[in-house]
């Protein structure tokens, strides 16, 4: 299932190619998977500098109240995320699975926490795209997750997609605000 935000049919072929190339998940019978697309009116270096920050997801993810990263922020590093109230969880333990600064690919897997997202993993890719005649960014996020007992695949995908849509909208809001302020270079990585 692919959910496109603000995507016209003519642009769909490019998104499909990126999804086929970078967003491969081994989906089992008891799992659901989806890909979501967002166009952001800000340049790739700025958007990528937010996405790649495994240690600071709260810079754009509205449901994260705190994050404590362990390790050297390389593949295999783990972070403990505190989730804001209102969601059916308070903590999530996540491992960095993929970080490619050249291809702009980020992958993570949830390895613990007090929530129902078991065997959750996601991939985020960031691609250059001209939007309204200006440098912009195409962001694609895909995921796979177990369907919890008592839920259907559709219910599970709908819930996860709603969270990702909020995160992507927030990523767009933060990136576009920084771009309007003249901030087009990556934010500090320290």
């Amino acid at each position: 299932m692919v959910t496109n935000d603000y995507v016209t049919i003519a642009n769909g072929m490019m998104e499909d190619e990126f999804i086929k190339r970078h967003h491969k998940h081994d989906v089992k019978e008891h799992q659901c998977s989806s890909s979501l697309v967002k166009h952001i009116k800000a340049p790739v270096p700025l958007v990528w500098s937010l996405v790649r920050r495994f240690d600071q997801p709260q810079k754009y993810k509205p449901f994260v109240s705190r994050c404590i990263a362990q390790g050297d922020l390389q593949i295999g590093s783990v972070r403990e995320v505190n989730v804001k109230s209102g969601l059916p969880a308070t903590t999530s333990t996540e491992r960095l699975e993929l970080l490619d600064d050249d291809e702009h690919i980020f992958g993570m897997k949830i390895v613990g926490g007090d929530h129902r997202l078991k065997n959750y993993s996601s991939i985020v890719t960031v691609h250059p795209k001209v939007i309204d005649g200006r440098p912009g960014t195409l962001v694609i996020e895909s995921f796979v997750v177990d369907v919890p007992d008592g839920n259907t695949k559709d219910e599970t995908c709908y819930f996860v997609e709603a969270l990702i849509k909020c995160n992507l909208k927030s990523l767009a809001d933060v990136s576009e605000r920084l771009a309007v302020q003249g901030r087009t270079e990556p934010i500090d990585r320290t």
Side-chain angles (χ1 to χ4, degrees), residues 10-83:
N11 293 329
M13 289 166 50
M14 182 173 60
E15 285 92 359
D16 287 345
E17 287 303 312
F18 288 135
I19 290 169
K20 286 178 190 172
R21 188 177 320 144
H22 302 295
H23 296 266
K24 297 175 186 164
H25 296 281
D26 183 21
V27 183
K28 308 274 193 279
E29 178 64 29
H30 66 285
Q31 295 180 314
C32 71
S33 181
S34 184
S35 298
L36 293 94
V37 174
K38 183 72 173 170
H39 293 142
I40 299 177
K41 295 178 182 179
V44 166
L46 177 62
V47 176
W48 177 245
S49 70
L50 292 165
V51 169
R52 75 169 313 282
R53 289 303 303 259
F54 182 70
D55 60 330
Q56 294 183 6
Q58 67 273 26
K59 285 200 178 268
Y60 76 91
K61 292 186 175 187
F63 301 114
V64 174
S65 61
R66 188 173 90 144
C67 174
I68 299 172
Q70 304 160 358
D72 56 4
L73 302 181
Q74 299 297 318
I75 293 173
S77 294
V78 174
R79 68 184 179 194
E80 295 289 333
V81 174
N82 289 14
V83 179

Side-chain angles (χ1 to χ4, degrees), residues 8 13 24-25 27 35 50 52 56 82 95 102 106 109 112 123 128 130 142-143 148 150 158 168 185:
T8 62
M13 289 166 50
K24 297 175 186 164
H25 296 281
V27 183
S35 298
L50 292 165
R52 75 169 313 282
Q56 294 183 6
N82 289 14
R95 183 176 58 229
D102 295 326
F106 174 93
K109 180 175 183 67
I123 298 170
V130 175
S142 63
F143 70 90
Y158 181 81
L168 291 175
E185 295 302 312

Side-chain angles (χ1 to χ4, degrees), residues 5-6 37-43 46-48 50-51 59-62 131 137-139 141 164-180 183:
D5 291 335
Y6 316 114
V37 174
K38 183 72 173 170
H39 293 142
I40 299 177
K41 295 178 182 179
L46 177 62
V47 176
W48 177 245
L50 292 165
V51 169
K59 285 200 178 268
Y60 76 91
K61 292 186 175 187
I131 301 173
T137 303
L138 167 68
V139 179
E141 184 163 356
I164 291 173
K165 285 178 185 179
C166 286
N167 288 339
L168 291 175
K169 181 183 182 321
S170 180
L171 176 62
D173 292 345
V174 170
S175 300
E176 291 170 359
R177 184 173 56 251
L178 289 169
V180 166
R183 189 73 188 261

